[in-house]
C-alpha cells in the first residue's frame, strides 16, 4: 500500500481538521491542508517527524506507514533509530548516495552523526532498499537483521544488483525481470565465498 492509502485507511472517521488539531495539541506541527494532500497522494514525501506525529495522533506505530506493524506495545514510544542506520553502514556515504540517487553523501553523514534526524520518506525507502532491510527497521527496535547474512549478500553482489534492478525496473520486460530473479537465486546457491559480478548497467 502507498503512504496515501495507509494514511487514509488509518484516518477512518478523523477529519483532516481534527487530525491536524490533535497533532498540534501533542506538540507537532501540521496543517489540515497538508494532511488532505497526503491522503490524496498529491504529496508523497513527508519527513520522518511528520510520519511520527501522524502515527502518535492516530495511536499506531510509525512503522506501519512503511510496511511494518501497526500495534503499539504498552509504554512503547517508537521513533527514528539512527543507531539502526549506523549498524548497517559500510563504505563511504558518497558511494551509498550515488547508488541511491535521491540523497546526498553529506546528508547521509549528517544522519550518521546525528546532526540531522529528520529524513524524508524517499530517503528512508532508498536507504532500506540499498541495505536490503525493511524500511520499518529504522523505526521498530523489534526488527533485527543478521549482519552476517547482509555481509554475504554484499559479497555476492546481490544488494548492488537489486539496487540497479530497482532503478531500471520500469524499463524492463517481464521476461528480463524473471531472468534477473533467476540470477539472484543462482547467486544465493553458490558455494560460500564465490563472488558474482553482475556487471554495470547499460
Amino acid at each position: 500500500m502507498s503512504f496515501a492509502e495507509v494514511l487514509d485507511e488509518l484516518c477512518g472517521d478523523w477529519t483532516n481538521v481534527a487530525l491536524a488539531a490533535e497533532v498540534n495539541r501533542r506538540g507537532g506541527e501540521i496543517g489540515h491542508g497538508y494532511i488532505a494532500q497526503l491522503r490524496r497522494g498529491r504529496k508523497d514525501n513527508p519527513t520522518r517527524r511528520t510520519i511520527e506525529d501522524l502515527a502518535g495522533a492516530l495511536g499506531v506505530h510509525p512503522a506501519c506507514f512503511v510496511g511494518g506493524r501497526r500495534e503499539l506495545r504498552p509504554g512503547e514510544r517508537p521513533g527514528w533509530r539512527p543507531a539502526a542506520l549506523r549498524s548497517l553502514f559500510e563504505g563511504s556515504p558518497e558511494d551509498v548516495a550515488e547508488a541511491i540517487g535521491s540523497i546526498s553523501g553529506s546528508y547521509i553523514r549528517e544522519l550518521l552523526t546525528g546532526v540531522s534526524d529528520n529524513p524524508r520518506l524517499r530517503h528512508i525507502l532508498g536507504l532500506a532498499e540499498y541495505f536490503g532491510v525493511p524500511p520499518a527497521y529504522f523505526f521498530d527496535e523489534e526488527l533485527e537483521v543478521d549482519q552476517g547474512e547482509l555481509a554475504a549478500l554484499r559479497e555476492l553482489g546481490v544488494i548492488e544488483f537489486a539496487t540497479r534492478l530497482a532503478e531500471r525496473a520500469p524499463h524492463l520486460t517481464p521476461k528480463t525481470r524473471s531472468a534477473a530473479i533467476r540470477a539472484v537465486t543462482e547467486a544465493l546457491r553458490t558455494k560460500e565465498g564465490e563472488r558474482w559480478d553482475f556487471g554495470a548497467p547499460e
Side-chain angles (χ1 to χ4, degrees):
M1 295 176 69
S2 68
F3 183 89
E5 291 170 329
V6 173
L7 177 59
D8 197 50
E9 179 181 299
L10 290 173
C11 282
D13 294 332
W14 282 91
T15 66
N16 299 330
V17 172
L19 182 56
E22 178 62 13
V23 168
N24 296 331
R25 185 190 69 80
R26 296 168 59 90
E29 186 175 349
I30 196 170
H32 63 84
Y34 184 51
I35 292 177
Q37 291 179 313
L38 288 172
R39 291 180 68 173
R40 295 170 184 163
R42 293 178 181 172
K43 297 288 186 180
D44 61 359
N45 196 28
T47 64
R48 180 277 302 177
R49 193 165 293 122
T50 294
I51 293 172
E52 291 178 13
D53 285 345
L54 289 169
L58 293 166
V60 297
H61 198 291
C64 74
F65 285 107
V66 289
R69 63 184 169 97
R70 179 179 299 190
E71 70 281 359
L72 287 167
R73 310 293 185 229
E76 187 177 23
R77 298 175 62 87
W80 172 253
R81 302 195 305 140
L85 177 60
R86 289 194 293 269
S87 72
L88 298 171
F89 220 87
E90 289 185 6
S92 74
E94 287 72 24
D95 289 342
V96 174
E98 183 178 359
I100 295 174
S102 62
I103 191 171
S104 69
S106 60
Y107 189 61
I108 292 177
R109 287 186 187 278
E110 291 178 0
L111 291 175
L112 288 170
T113 58
V115 173
S116 294
D117 65 353
N118 198 29
R120 289 191 172 273
L121 178 60
R122 287 177 194 159
H123 297 152
I124 296 169
L125 297 178
L127 288 165
E129 182 178 322
Y130 177 83
F131 288 110
V133 298
Y137 175 69
F138 295 117
F139 293 100
D140 191 350
E141 63 182 9
E142 292 186 1
L143 292 179
E144 297 296 336
V145 297
D146 189 316
Q147 298 295 332
E149 288 185 359
L150 280 178
L153 289 173
R154 290 194 187 98
E155 181 65 20
L156 286 168
V158 174
I159 290 179
E160 180 184 5
F161 173 74
T163 301
R164 290 176 175 174
L165 178 62
E167 292 171 351
R168 300 177 59 181
H171 310 291
L172 299 178
T173 65
K175 182 178 180 180
T176 302
R177 287 196 292 270
S178 295
I181 292 171
R182 286 197 299 273
V184 173
T185 302
E186 290 303 314
L188 293 174
R189 288 175 179 168
T190 59
K191 63 184 180 181
E192 184 177 359
E194 184 175 348
R195 185 178 182 84
W196 279 69
D197 182 8
F198 293 100
E202 297 176 0

